[in-house]
Amino acid sequence: MDKEKIISELNRHKKLPYLDYRLKQETEDFTDTLFYTLFDSNTPVAVNLEMLEKKFDRLTDMACWDLERPSNELWNKYISGLPGILEKLNLDAEAILNCDPASLSLQEIYMAYPGFYAISIYRLAHELYIQGVPMIPRLMTEYAHRQTGVDINPGATIGKSFFIDHATGVVIGETAVIHDNVKLYQGVTLGALYVSKNLQKTKRHPTIMSNVTIYANATILGGETVIGENSIIGGNAWLTASVPANSTVYHTPEIKIKTAPNVQ
């Protein structure tokens, strides 16, 4: 075995020699610290905000991208929006408590509901996304995806009182728009009709109007697809066209039950 040759070949085939996985690890630490700062009663907010600013400064330095604004300006704008984000998250938690008969308390929702955690990290990442911070918002939501099974692109636009029940398997694409008081069940996909790089700057994912419920494993595709307000989309439905307000859409499976004959 020629060890030096192997090392040389590995280095030659590395596509991105500047790729630094510490950025991924430290973004996850930043995300945990941010979440605890907002919700944990034993975490001192003032102390943690100073710590978070240093972590954010390091993250932007590690990313090595040219940003139009210095990191301290980005950070100051970001933390000024944190009270509004927390207010929205409290509404999300209350929506879960009001909708889910299995929920026993707000404490349980904040600590034990994967849907709430995924929504929290999405909302925290989305504010960085709209400020044009690269990579970090996607790493934050991917961290939540790994822990919860919920994949929300940080570019999606989501209104107030959002509820994901059971959570696992939900996918929400980058250009999806979700209005207020929407409830999704596990396995729901809000996706694109097809994938092509030239669609990068176009709306590829559906719009869900207010007070819509989408049941398990429904798939709704396309940037021009709009689900009208107060509609109910049944489980396993497949939609690529718009639905008017106050509609009920359901999939009718063909079920055949074969019983064994009685044996005397």
Side-chain angles (χ1 to χ4, degrees):
M1 179 181 69
D2 188 338
K3 187 175 180 181
E4 293 302 320
K5 182 179 179 181
I6 293 171
I7 293 171
S8 176
E9 287 294 296
L10 287 173
N11 284 326
R12 185 170 69 85
H13 286 295
K14 274 191 172 183
K15 296 285 186 181
L16 299 172
Y18 53 83
L19 192 64
D20 188 345
Y21 271 90
R22 290 178 301 172
L23 176 62
K24 180 181 177 74
Q25 295 163 355
E26 295 195 22
T27 297
E28 293 173 3
D29 177 61
F30 171 81
T31 302
D32 286 336
T33 305
L34 188 55
F35 186 84
Y36 273 68
T37 301
L38 291 187
F39 295 111
D40 181 48
S41 60
N42 296 312
T43 297
V45 173
V47 173
N48 267 38
L49 285 180
E50 290 188 13
M51 184 192 310
L52 283 164
E53 183 175 8
K54 293 175 183 177
K55 289 177 184 289
F56 183 74
D57 206 34
R58 176 167 167 78
L59 289 177
T60 53
D61 283 345
M62 288 176 63
C64 295
W65 290 290
D66 293 326
L67 296 173
E68 293 181 0
R69 290 172 290 167
S71 64
N72 64 330
E73 184 180 336
L74 287 168
W75 178 249
N76 289 337
K77 184 172 182 180
Y78 183 65
I79 62 169
S80 69
L82 286 179
I85 295 172
L86 183 54
E87 184 178 8
K88 284 184 178 179
L89 289 172
N90 288 334
L91 290 175
D92 296 328
E94 289 171 10
I96 297 171
L97 185 66
N98 292 333
C99 291
D100 185 5
S103 61
L104 301 177
S105 66
L106 280 172
Q107 288 89 339
E108 180 186 36
I109 290 161
Y110 287 116
M111 297 183 72
Y113 272 60
F116 177 76
Y117 181 80
I119 295 166
S120 297
I121 304 309
Y122 152 76
R123 292 203 188 279
L124 292 167
H126 178 70
E127 292 303 310
L128 293 174
Y129 177 94
I130 62 178
Q131 289 191 54
V133 177
M135 187 63 80
I136 294 167
R138 186 58 185 266
L139 289 173
M140 291 172 68
T141 55
E142 183 54 33
Y143 180 45
H145 178 201
R146 193 168 76 240
Q147 296 188 80
T148 65
V150 178
D151 186 0
I152 308 177
N153 189 288
T157 303
I158 300 177
K160 296 178 181 178
S161 300
F162 184 45
F163 175 25
I164 302 177
D165 199 10
H166 300 293
T168 305
V170 168
V171 176
I172 301 173
E174 180 186 28
T175 62
V177 176
I178 300 173
H179 288 256
D180 299 339
N181 304 307
V182 169
K183 179 163 64 176
L184 306 185
Y185 282 78
Q186 69 272 18
V188 168
T189 296
L190 305 180
L193 276 169
Y194 60 94
V195 177
S196 177
K197 196 64 177 177
N198 63 2
L199 298 176
Q200 187 171 16
K201 300 298 182 181
T202 62
K203 189 177 186 307
R204 308 180 301 282
H205 307 94
T207 296
I208 313 299
M209 301 304 289
S210 296
N211 306 310
V212 169
T213 298
I214 306 175
Y215 283 99
N217 299 313
T219 298
I220 303 172
L221 306 177
E224 296 183 2
T225 302
V226 178
I227 306 301
E229 62 185 14
N230 307 313
S231 292
I232 297 173
I233 309 301
N236 297 308
W238 175 281
L239 291 173
T240 59
S242 295
V243 169
N246 306 304
S247 296
T248 299
V249 178
Y250 56 91
H251 169 71
T252 304
E254 183 178 356
I255 300 174
K256 295 181 180 181
I257 301 174
K258 184 178 180 181
T259 59
N262 291 328
V263 178
Q264 298 297 329

